[in-house]
């Protein structure tokens, strides 16, 4: 009889046994690497649903927004790039809408999961895959889309312990993982207004996300193009623990069963914008997803779809509500636009 295979939890517990508690960011990175490489997490049978899986209207409006910018930029040859494309649904819908405007760019997908790459290739035949943004082509402007990508990247958490701010780590208290404050004091790196927060307060930062935003900003400033980043987010830095686990469409303890649950954190869109601007890109927004979709004409698009398929009228109206209503995805999710400094201003980001 062979030994039972090592689970992701076993591997993390072993690492902690050797080196002591690990930063939350390392725990999150290891858990999500395992999670995304071993399954398709999307859809009714999976753990969560995203905007492009709710309705084709989402990807179509993203495609129209990109096509509008491209037309006003003088129709240059471009590459379409998507970060973390999931099942490839958004890309397929956006590319279809772009085609109707005469835009048919080569497709580049930044994706680490073999299971999801397989799905993406079915919907986007001929797509070129990349492990990260560094290998993207540098010969043309890039039209970049990232929906619910940054929320899966690791966050560091700082926690106000009794003796000051420390980094939040994960310890192994067999048989469970528990968060602990550990490491040297960090008070001196925090803005004064956050230092005096009550014990137990948590601040998150995502160096991995900021690093990618910087590289996108650099590409846009040097190669031209634009990026649309949509995620559930806030304009930080702020106090708050947003690390969460989702399994089978419900919330779960983020420290249980690493690698079997989707770990996400809210995205600090202001910090992403700042990182891109530091490299010379321009930023617009963030604006609420609901407001942006309405300004992009989701109402009119829904009417046209319903007219063509009266039996689906209720389903289409429900999808619009889910994507735009303030108590559903409309306000929690936000859109941030980044552009080359000499590109036209993106549509529907005013105000
Ligand atoms: N954008 C899709 C899927 C969101 S789920 C949608 O809206 O439906 C997150 C996506 O990011 C998945 O495709 C996942 O495999 C990918 N992903 C997560 N971490 C990644 C990483 N470090 N590098 C590249 N892709 C990653």
């Amino acid at each position: 009889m062979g030994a039972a295979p090592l689970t992701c939890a076993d591997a993390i517990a072993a690492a902690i046994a050797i080196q002591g508690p690990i930063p939350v960011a390392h725990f999150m990175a290891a858990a999500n690497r395992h999670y995304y490489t071993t399954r398709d997490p999307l859809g009714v049978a999976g753990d969560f649903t995203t905007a492009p899986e709710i309705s084709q209207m989402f990807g179509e409006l993203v495609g129209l927004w990109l096509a509008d910018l491209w037309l006003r930029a003088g129709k240059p040859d471009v590459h379409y790039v998507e970060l973390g494309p999931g099942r490839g649904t958004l890309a397929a819908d956006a590319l279809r809408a772009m085609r109707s405007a005469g835009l048919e760019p080569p497709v580049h997908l930044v994706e680490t999961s073999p299971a999801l790459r397989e799905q993406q290739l079915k919907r986007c035949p001929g797509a070129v895959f990349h492990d990260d943004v560094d290998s993207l082509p540098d010969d043309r402007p890039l039209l970049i889309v990232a929906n619910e990508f940054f929320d899966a990247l690791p966050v560091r958490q700082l926690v106000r312990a009794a003796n000051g701010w420390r980094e939040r780590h994960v310890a192994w208290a067999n048989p469970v993982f528990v968060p602990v404050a550990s490491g040297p004091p960090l008070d001196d790196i925090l803005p004064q207004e956050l230092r005096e927060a009550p014990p137990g307060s948590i601040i998150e930062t995502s160096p991995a996300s900021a690093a990618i935003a910087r590289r996108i900003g650099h590409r846009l400033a040097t190669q031209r193009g634009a990026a649309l980043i949509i995620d559930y987010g806030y304009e930080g830095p702020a106090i708050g623990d947003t690390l969460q686990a989702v399994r089978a469409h419900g919330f779960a303890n983020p420290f249980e069963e690493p690698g079997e649950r989707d770990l996400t954190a809210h995205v600090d869109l202001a910090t992403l914008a700042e990182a891109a601007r530091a490299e010379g890109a321009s930023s617009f927004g963030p604006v609420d997803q609901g407001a942006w979709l309405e300004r992009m004409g989701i109402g009119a698009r829904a009417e046209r779809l319903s007219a063509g398929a009266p039996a689906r009228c209720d389903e289409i109206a429900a999808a619009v509500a889910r994507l735009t209503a303030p108590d559903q995805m409309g306000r929690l999710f936000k859109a941030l636009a980044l552009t080359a400094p000499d590109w036209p201003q993106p549509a529907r980001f005013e105000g």
Side-chain angles (χ1 to χ4, degrees), residues 36 42 48 50-53 82-87 90 110-113 116 120 131 147-149 152-153:
Y36 280 106
L42 291 145
F48 59 93
T50 55
E53 301 296 331
E82 199 175 322
L83 312 182
R87 288 179 166 172
L90 196 171
V110 177
E111 175 61 67
T112 42
S113 160
L116 289 172
Q120 291 155 16
D131 290 329
N147 184 64
E148 289 206 46
F149 167 72
L153 300 185

Side-chain angles (χ1 to χ4, degrees), residues 132-206:
D132 60 44
V133 292
D134 291 333
S135 59
L136 290 170
D138 60 8
D139 61 331
R140 297 175 179 186
L142 304 176
L143 298 180
I144 303 174
V145 176
N147 184 64
E148 289 206 46
F149 167 72
F150 285 98
D151 66 3
L153 300 185
V155 286
R156 305 195 85 114
Q157 287 191 323
L158 311 188
V159 58
R160 174 88 203 272
N163 55 353
W165 287 90
R166 297 282 190 275
E167 180 152 11
R168 203 176 189 207
H169 285 64
V170 180
W172 171 241
N174 197 357
V176 290
F177 293 98
V178 288
V180 293
S182 176
L186 300 170
D187 298 56
D188 291 341
I189 62 163
L190 291 176
Q192 188 61 43
E193 66 274 17
L194 298 179
R195 274 188 216 170
E196 298 310 319
S201 300
I202 286 176
I203 296 173
E204 293 172 348
T205 72
S206 180

Side-chain angles (χ1 to χ4, degrees), residues 7-34:
T7 64
C8 179
D10 294 335
I12 294 175
I16 294 173
I18 293 167
Q19 68 184 80
I22 58 173
V24 162
H26 295 188
F27 181 84
M28 184 173 177
N32 273 355
R33 198 175 308 119
H34 181 84

Side-chain angles (χ1 to χ4, degrees), residues 275-328:
R277 282 199 307 270
E279 294 290 335
S282 301
S283 77
F284 302 86
V287 298
D288 290 351
Q289 169 174 299
W292 184 75
L293 290 173
E294 277 159 8
R295 293 179 194 167
M296 284 299 298
I298 194 169
R301 182 74 190 116
E303 272 173 34
R304 274 195 54 197
L305 280 178
S306 300
R312 291 183 52 218
C313 200
D314 290 348
E315 172 201 325
I316 292 164
V320 172
R322 214 164 148 197
L323 293 171
T324 63
D327 59 345
Q328 300 197 50

Side-chain angles (χ1 to χ4, degrees), residues 13-135:
I16 294 173
I18 293 167
Q19 68 184 80
I22 58 173
V24 162
H26 295 188
F27 181 84
M28 184 173 177
N32 273 355
R33 198 175 308 119
H34 181 84
Y35 178 80
Y36 280 106
T37 51
T38 51
R39 76 206 70 209
D40 168 6
L42 291 145
V44 179
D47 289 329
F48 59 93
T49 300
T50 55
E53 301 296 331
I54 291 169
S55 169
Q56 70 188 72
M57 293 182 282
F58 184 82
E60 288 169 349
L61 294 173
V62 168
L64 287 179
W65 183 86
L66 291 171
D68 165 66
L69 256 178
W70 168 79
L71 283 168
R72 290 188 288 121
K75 300 192 188 184
D77 285 337
V78 293
H79 294 285
Y80 175 85
V81 173
E82 199 175 322
L83 312 182
R87 288 179 166 172
T89 308
L90 196 171
D93 292 336
L95 289 163
R96 189 177 61 253
M98 291 180 345
R99 238 181 344 261
S100 67
L103 171 55
E104 288 188 72
V107 176
H108 297 266
L109 305 178
V110 177
E111 175 61 67
T112 42
S113 160
L116 289 172
R117 279 187 179 195
E118 203 175 301
Q119 299 244 17
Q120 291 155 16
L121 207 48
K122 281 190 209 146
R123 291 174 184 83
C124 307
V128 177
F129 289 105
H130 301 263
D131 290 329
D132 60 44
V133 292
D134 291 333
S135 59

